[in-house]
Amino acid sequence: MSVPPLTRAGSGGADRLLLTPLEQHRARVRRARTRRSVLTSLASTVVFAVLLYVSVTSAPGWPRVQETFFDPAVAREWLPSILRGLWLNIRVLAVAAVLTLALALLLAVLRTLRGPVWLPVRLLATAYVDLFRGIPLIVLLYLVGFGVPALRFTEGRISPVVLGAAAIVLTYSAYVAEVFRAGIETVHPSQRLGARSLGLSYAQSLRLVVLPQAVRRVTPPLLNDFVAMQKDVGLISVLGAVDAVRAAQIGALDSFNFTPYVVAALLFVLLSVPTARLADWAALRATRREQAGGVL
Amino acid sequence: MPRPLPSRTVRAAALLGATALVLAACADDTADEPAATGAPATMDAATDAATDTATDTATDAATDAAAGGAIEGCDPASLETLTEGTLTMATSEPAFEPWMVENDPTNEQGYESAVAYAVAERLGYADDAVEWVRVPFEAAIAPGPKDFDVAINQFSITEERRQAVDFSSPYYDVRQAVVTTAGSPADGATTTGELGEVLIGAQVGTTSLQAIEELIGPTMQPQVFNSNEDAVTALQNGQVDAIVVDLPTAFFVTAVQLDDGVIVGQLPELGEDPEQFGMVLDLGSPLTDCVSRAVDALEADGTLDALQEEWLADVAGAPELG
């Protein structure tokens, strides 16, 4: 190879010898530039952090902020109950996420059915999406959580966890169905036509050709919705269940200190970070696959 | 200003005048107290207007109550309320009997509405100088600037809350009570021990919730709701077996909100001191002392007893839970 890739320059003596003097000069300039950018960014970050720290901690209200939002004793006192509440949130999340995916996929498939005979089905699916995407989740929680038990379908008591999860599934399946539908519609018609011409039925072409491509394309927005759902499960507290949000509220009202809210916020952030990294990774992988071999 | 907090000092001057319900003796009771809050040395531009109104109300009061009863050092001209010449009162939305009648705090019907206007009159505010705003229960007792001068919404006085807000002198001694529906597992319980196995609900941030945890100690974690109304709905739906509210509210809940509501009984005192309702003011509010003195005066001259007799008479008969 006449021009070795830049990444190998400097990685070993033998490679260095392959470089022309001009190329070696270029590599040196690039390294110097890199070093300078690293130092500049480091310095600016340090200066920024120091400025931020000084301006925040010298603010007249800082001791009060510290005491009101970041009191370690209060945090320790309420962490166990908030964690117990978070475990409830996580269980609701797990059930709601699975049900949402299944229901949303079904809705998206129904909404994209072709042919006049399916009009009522398409209409129903569209109405469902319009309705449940339009109702504020908190209102739906009240309607489901306080309304459904009033009907007394069952002898026994329906857990607020079940009711809360049901409301979340209703809302989120409407959102996620639209994400799936967008994915299905981005699959080029030639894919479907090609599949049909190979003799696959509508269902087979959908299952084997269209959906795999569609789902892959919408993975990042799906994970985004998942993060949103992670936080919205905190709304089930209005139904009486003591989840992380409610536990934090009890703590905050009991201690007149906002630290329990901060603790709950941090726990929710911790919960969402893995999903966020997973979303980044999925997006990166999708880009790599779609641009296989190409460089952009 | 005696108890200033930075950032809270900007309060407009306002008016106070005389009284209608007052009988006697109050001026003497309070006169020897130091005028801790009230008249700042400098007055705002609105003093003229304030004084006009004060004069009007003073005239009204003179005809209404021969003995007079203005609190020395506390009058609309010197009190630093949010809006000059107006006392901004707060309660929650909706407000229920027997505290407010027909969710209208301005009609002087219901115990808290009556007390609020009695205090306002004692401070010299005419009825039309009292404005009402609606503030959720938890928001009123949370730290931070307030958009009201005085809130009245069955706030129990606790040491923890004193760190966040000012309380006036208490205007009512309250007990917590357990409410259920006929035939539920909690129906017929005579001791708190019998309530250990039932699912109980209460409003978040209330002494009712504290009472469940400390006096009943149920095996099932209590259900916690945003409001008493949510808790009542859950009780009606059978989502909880019982709820805990304060006793006067329990009478309203069983009489009006529930079809087959039952008061199981009142809980023992929470802690050594009786639980008392006080009005809530911003922490370090310049009005606290005057409002407290007005409440003290109403207590001393029997006005509070008379109003309790008028609005909370039912409360006496509830059974005690052992």
Side-chain angles (χ1 to χ4, degrees), chain A residues 64 84 142 145-147 149-150 152 157-160 163 237-242 246 249-250 253-256 258, chain B residues 138 141-143 160-161 163-164 199 204-205 209 221-226 230 233-234 236-241 283:
Chain A
R64 179 137 183 87
R84 267 197 304 279
Y142 270 105
F146 289 108
R152 297 196 183 260
R157 182 175 290 148
I158 312 171
S159 159
L163 294 165
S237 58
V238 299
L239 305 183
V242 180
R246 182 66 91 202
Q249 189 183 17
I250 293 172
L253 291 174
D254 197 81
S255 59
F256 282 98
F258 293 100
Chain B
E138 313 95 271
I141 50 172
E160 293 81 11
R161 289 177 182 174
Q163 296 167 20
L199 185 60
V204 67
L209 181 59
Q221 187 177 36
Q223 300 282 292
V224 186
F225 298 92
N226 281 350
D230 285 355
T233 309
Q236 198 160 26
N237 290 341
Q239 292 289 96
V240 294
D241 295 320
L283 193 64

Side-chain angles (χ1 to χ4, degrees), chain A:
Chain A
M1 77 190 78
S2 56
V3 182
L6 188 63
T7 48
R8 291 180 60 195
S11 62
D15 287 333
R16 192 183 296 258
L17 291 179
L18 292 174
L19 296 173
T20 61
L22 178 61
E23 195 60 29
Q24 285 182 24
H25 172 70
R26 283 176 178 159
R28 267 200 307 281
V29 170
R30 286 194 194 104
R31 276 200 302 277
R33 273 196 195 150
T34 310
R35 201 164 48 236
R36 205 170 57 205
S37 346
V38 167
L39 286 177
T40 311
S41 56
L42 204 66
S44 83
T45 308
V46 168
V47 168
F48 182 75
V50 168
L51 280 180
L52 194 67
Y53 179 80
V54 169
S55 59
V56 166
T57 54
S58 65
W62 172 245
R64 179 137 183 87
V65 168
Q66 205 175 15
E67 182 185 303
T68 316
F69 291 87
F70 307 103
D71 186 333
V74 175
R76 264 196 304 278
E77 184 185 351
W78 292 99
L79 183 63
S81 70
I82 296 174
L83 275 177
R84 267 197 304 279
L86 190 69
W87 175 232
L88 176 69
N89 288 127
I90 292 174
R91 281 179 294 167
V92 172
L93 177 69
V95 175
V98 171
L99 292 179
T100 298
L101 276 182
L103 187 57
L105 192 58
L106 177 70
L107 282 167
V109 167
L110 292 182
R111 246 195 120 170
T112 51
L113 281 179
R114 281 140 189 267
V117 71
W118 297 111
L119 179 71
V121 175
R122 283 199 299 270
L123 279 181
L124 269 180
T126 310
Y128 177 96
V129 169
D130 284 353
L131 183 65
F132 288 109
R133 202 168 49 161
I135 301 180
L137 178 54
I138 190 85
V139 175
L140 195 63
L141 273 167
Y142 270 105
L143 287 176
V144 173
F146 289 108
V148 171
L151 301 174
R152 297 196 183 260
F153 282 132
T154 54
E155 273 299 303
R157 182 175 290 148
I158 312 171
S159 159
V161 174
V162 172
L163 294 165
I168 288 171
V169 168
L170 285 174
T171 295
Y172 269 85
S173 58
Y175 275 105
V176 174
E178 286 300 275
V179 173
F180 275 132
R181 188 166 73 99
I184 290 172
E185 286 177 354
T186 59
V187 177
H188 199 274
S190 64
Q191 295 283 322
R192 191 192 299 267
L193 297 176
R196 296 306 295 275
S197 71
L198 286 173
L200 299 185
S201 68
Y202 182 88
Q204 282 173 322
S205 67
L206 190 68
R207 185 164 59 87
L208 299 172
V209 177
V210 177
L211 282 183
Q213 298 184 65
V215 170
R216 200 178 300 152
R217 275 181 208 169
V218 297
T219 305
L222 282 181
L223 287 168
N224 195 34
D225 279 344
F226 183 62
V227 174
M229 187 195 263
Q230 285 180 349
K231 297 172 297 173
D232 280 353
V233 290
L235 291 173
I236 62 164
S237 58
V238 299
L239 305 183
V242 180
D243 74 334
V245 174
R246 182 66 91 202
Q249 189 183 17
I250 293 172
L253 291 174
D254 197 81
S255 59
F256 282 98
N257 191 299
F258 293 100
T259 309
Y261 283 134
V262 175
V263 170
L266 287 178
L267 289 174
F268 274 104
V269 170
L270 284 180
L271 193 63
S272 73
V273 164
T275 319
R277 293 291 80 76
L278 187 65
D280 288 350
W281 173 81
L284 193 67
R285 195 183 64 152
T287 316
R288 280 213 195 107
R289 283 191 175 179
E290 302 216 335
Q291 299 172 350
V295 274
L296 273 176

Side-chain angles (χ1 to χ4, degrees), chain B residues 101-163:
Chain B
V101 174
E102 289 169 356
N103 188 24
D104 177 11
T106 63
N107 59 13
E108 294 188 52
Q109 307 268 304
Y111 181 65
E112 290 194 332
S113 179
V115 168
Y117 279 97
V119 167
E121 291 189 55
R122 192 54 75 101
L123 294 177
Y125 290 90
D127 287 358
D128 58 8
V130 178
E131 293 288 328
W132 287 88
V133 293
R134 302 300 188 127
V135 177
F137 183 90
E138 313 95 271
I141 50 172
K146 304 282 184 280
D147 50 11
F148 55 79
D149 293 314
V150 183
I152 183 163
N153 190 13
Q154 305 120 61
F155 298 109
S156 299
I157 302 172
T158 67
E159 279 314 304
E160 293 81 11
R161 289 177 182 174
R162 274 191 196 284
Q163 296 167 20

Side-chain angles (χ1 to χ4, degrees), chain B residues 186-212:
Chain B
D187 191 8
T190 53
T191 65
T192 53
E194 290 171 55
L195 295 169
E197 297 296 316
V198 303
L199 185 60
I200 308 177
Q203 182 185 348
V204 67
T206 56
T207 41
S208 309
L209 181 59
Q210 235 176 319
I212 297 176

Side-chain angles (χ1 to χ4, degrees), chain B:
Chain B
M1 225 151 314
R3 274 174 282 167
L5 268 194
S7 89
R8 302 231 170 84
T9 52
V10 189
R11 295 287 189 264
L15 35 143
L16 295 190
T19 118
L21 295 156
V22 189
L23 300 173
C26 33
D28 290 340
D29 284 350
T30 51
D32 51 356
E33 288 185 33
T37 25
T42 58
M43 295 304 302
D44 298 44
T47 307
D48 290 347
T51 314
D52 288 349
T53 319
T55 313
D56 293 347
T57 45
T59 315
D60 293 348
T63 53
D64 283 356
I71 312 292
E72 191 181 328
C74 303
D75 57 75
S78 62
L79 283 175
E80 293 185 50
T81 52
L82 285 179
T83 313
E84 291 168 1
T86 302
L87 188 64
T88 307
M89 308 279 303
T91 193
S92 61
E93 171 82 67
F96 285 110
E97 288 184 52
W99 310 109
M100 306 272 173
V101 174
E102 289 169 356
N103 188 24
D104 177 11
T106 63
N107 59 13
E108 294 188 52
Q109 307 268 304
Y111 181 65
E112 290 194 332
S113 179
V115 168
Y117 279 97
V119 167
E121 291 189 55
R122 192 54 75 101
L123 294 177
Y125 290 90
D127 287 358
D128 58 8
V130 178
E131 293 288 328
W132 287 88
V133 293
R134 302 300 188 127
V135 177
F137 183 90
E138 313 95 271
I141 50 172
K146 304 282 184 280
D147 50 11
F148 55 79
D149 293 314
V150 183
I152 183 163
N153 190 13
Q154 305 120 61
F155 298 109
S156 299
I157 302 172
T158 67
E159 279 314 304
E160 293 81 11
R161 289 177 182 174
R162 274 191 196 284
Q163 296 167 20
V165 291
D166 277 3
F167 280 104
S168 73
S169 297
Y171 59 86
Y172 183 62
D173 288 5
V174 70
R175 297 282 294 276
Q176 297 295 321
V178 181
V179 172
T180 188
T181 48
S184 97
D187 191 8
T190 53
T191 65
T192 53
E194 290 171 55
L195 295 169
E197 297 296 316
V198 303
L199 185 60
I200 308 177
Q203 182 185 348
V204 67
T206 56
T207 41
S208 309
L209 181 59
Q210 235 176 319
I212 297 176
E213 279 157 3
E214 291 175 23
L215 299 176
I216 301 175
T219 49
M220 279 181 280
Q221 187 177 36
Q223 300 282 292
V224 186
F225 298 92
N226 281 350
S227 66
N228 271 339
E229 293 71 63
D230 285 355
V232 170
T233 309
L235 175 62
Q236 198 160 26
N237 290 341
Q239 292 289 96
V240 294
D241 295 320
I243 60 173
V244 173
V245 291
D246 58 65
L247 189 54
T249 300
F251 275 91
F252 174 71
V253 166
T254 49
V256 179
Q257 294 181 319
L258 289 172
D259 296 334
D260 50 358
V262 179
I263 295 181
V264 180
Q266 38 185 329
L267 291 169
E269 298 279 359
L270 187 68
E272 291 174 8
D273 301 320
E275 184 180 346
Q276 296 177 311
F277 286 166
M279 298 184 203
V280 161
L281 298 94
D282 195 7
L283 193 64
S285 165
L287 306 180
T288 306
D289 186 65
C290 282
V291 171
S292 282
R293 284 161 61 193
V295 173
D296 291 342
L298 295 172
E299 171 79 55
D301 69 10
T303 308
L304 288 183
D305 283 344
L307 291 177
Q308 283 170 21
E309 185 62 33
E310 184 177 359
W311 297 109
L312 307 174
D314 299 343
V315 169
E320 298 272 347
L321 286 174

